[in-house]
């Protein structure tokens, strides 16, 4: 039986004070360990957030991770730096990184590889734009995004990773994929993994992201291949984030 996971992606929001208050509220409202749960604050707050989470069921992750080990890469944060501060997860290939900051399938694969090298669990974000969906290219896009990573790191590495399916047209738009639309792609992703390794596919956490809210989470999470969510806007409020967690 797969465990579910709910991850909050704060993006570039809030202040140190509001982030600490949010984490404290989540920790004090967390009354079960039925699923895994994590928040991804901005890099600069991670060490401070870590201090609040010692011994807590709530883990934390980074929103990105460098594609290189170390060296002259101005502005990047390496996997070993993240490991040093107990970082559990790192998002790789979020659609905002792909569309605004030039991440390609190849650099995303390199980031994934770096995360694994330090035992930071990569959360690989994949998903199609509205245009690609309308042109019936959803599965092709997913294939390209997945294959670039599998080709670099090998399928075995997916035993220590998470995938998040986030249709770009559903991110921050209030338009959620229907439960069936999401399930269809989740099932497809699991099949692609299963073709290479059935047991990794059976155990793989595949999250859905894109305008998940407390009132639509339960139906999404009830779908056979949806193992939780990657939550943007609704993760900035403790009550709605916990509401989503509790709908697992
Ligand atoms: P959203 O963002 O929940 O605000 O749509 C999801 C994400 O970008 O991970």
């Amino acid at each position: 039986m797969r465990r579910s996971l709910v991850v909050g992606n704060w993006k570039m929001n809030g202040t140190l004070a509001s982030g600490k208050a949010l984490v404290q509220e989540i920790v004090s409202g967390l009354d079960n360990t039925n699923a895994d749960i994590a928040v991804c604050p901005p890099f600069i707050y991670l060490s401070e957030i870590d201090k609040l989470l010692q011994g807590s069921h709530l883990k934390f992750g980074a929103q990105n991770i460098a594609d290189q080990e170390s060296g002259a890469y101005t502005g990047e944060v390496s996997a070993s730096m993240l490991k040093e501060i107990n970082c559990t997860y790192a998002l790789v290939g979020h659609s905002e990184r792909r569309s605004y900051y030039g991440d390609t399938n190849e650099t995303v694969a390199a980031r994934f590889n770096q995360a694994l090298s330090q035992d930071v669990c990569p959360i690989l974000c994949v998903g199609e734009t509205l245009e690609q969906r309308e042109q019936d290219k959803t599965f092709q896009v997913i294939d390209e995004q997945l294959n670039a990573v599998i080709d670099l790191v090998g399928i075995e590495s997916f035993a220590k990773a998470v995938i998040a399916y986030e249709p770009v047209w559903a991110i921050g738009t209030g338009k959620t994929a229907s439960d069936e639309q999401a399930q269809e792609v989740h099932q497809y992703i699991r099949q692609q993994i299963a073709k290479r390794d059935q047991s990794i596919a059976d155990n793989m956490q595949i999250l859905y992201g894109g305008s998940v809210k407390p009132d639509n989470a339960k139906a999404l999470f009830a779908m056979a291949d949806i193992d939780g969510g990657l939550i943007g806007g609704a993760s900035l409020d403790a009550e709605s984030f916990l509401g989503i967690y509790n709908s697992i």
Side-chain angles (χ1 to χ4, degrees), residues 216-228:
N216 60 21
K218 203 176 178 79
L220 282 162
F221 297 169
M223 304 308 283
D225 289 292
I226 302 185
D227 308 310

Side-chain angles (χ1 to χ4, degrees), residues 232-244:
S235 73
L236 297 171
D237 176 78
E239 195 184 324
S240 63
F241 189 54
L242 285 168
I244 292 168

